[in-house]
Amino acid sequence: MRLKHNKTDKADAGMIRQYALQQQPELWQLKIAYREECMELEEVIRLLLKQRTALENKLHSLISKGSDNTIATRTIKSQITRRTKEVEKLELEMEEKVKK
């Protein structure tokens, strides 16, 4: 490899291109099933986070009106906790898939 004093993205890309032309490494392929599973998990996590945010906003609204200890606020708090636990569970599942 040739050493250069200037470091730019263009110079780096040229060096990577040269390496690929000389060494002709095998193309890396991501396993389709693994990728699909992670994408599905990510979609569900995003959905749960949006739901949790909506619940947190509603809870804030109820509390600011003085409805601090009603059945509605207790239910919302319970749902926020549930969403948080589900997100944590799915993130751990995704982490396990990545480690494999």
Side-chain angles (χ1 to χ4, degrees):
M1 284 183 96
R2 292 181 243 141
L3 297 176
K4 292 189 176 191
H5 295 289
N6 61 340
K7 178 129 175 68
T8 65
D9 288 344
K10 188 175 182 178
D12 289 346
M15 294 297 289
I16 292 169
R17 181 180 178 274
Q18 282 294 79
Y19 172 81
L21 288 173
Q22 290 173 357
Q23 301 297 318
Q24 297 183 350
E26 234 179 86
L27 292 177
W28 179 75
Q29 297 285 327
L30 181 64
K31 293 180 183 175
I32 299 298
Y34 157 81
R35 185 173 137 212
E36 290 296 321
E37 290 172 5
C38 285
M39 287 173 63
E40 288 170 1
L41 288 173
E42 187 178 359
E43 285 178 28
V44 174
I45 290 169
R46 260 190 267 132
L47 174 65
L48 290 170
L49 290 174
K50 283 182 182 180
Q51 291 175 347
R52 186 179 72 184
T53 300
L55 289 165
E56 289 168 339
N57 291 340
K58 183 61 179 175
L59 179 64
H60 178 72
S61 172
L62 290 174
I63 290 173
S64 68
K65 290 179 185 175
S67 303
D68 193 22
N69 197 21
T70 64
I71 186 72
T73 57
R74 288 192 304 270
T75 301
I76 290 173
K77 287 176 184 179
S78 167
Q79 291 300 313
I80 290 170
T81 301
R82 189 174 187 190
R83 297 297 188 288
T84 300
K85 288 179 182 177
E86 287 294 321
V87 166
E88 289 170 358
K89 186 175 103 177
L90 293 174
E91 285 175 340
L92 284 174
E93 179 69 27
M94 189 183 296
E95 188 176 321
E96 288 300 316
K97 289 186 182 305
V98 170
K99 285 180 182 178
K100 289 180 184 178

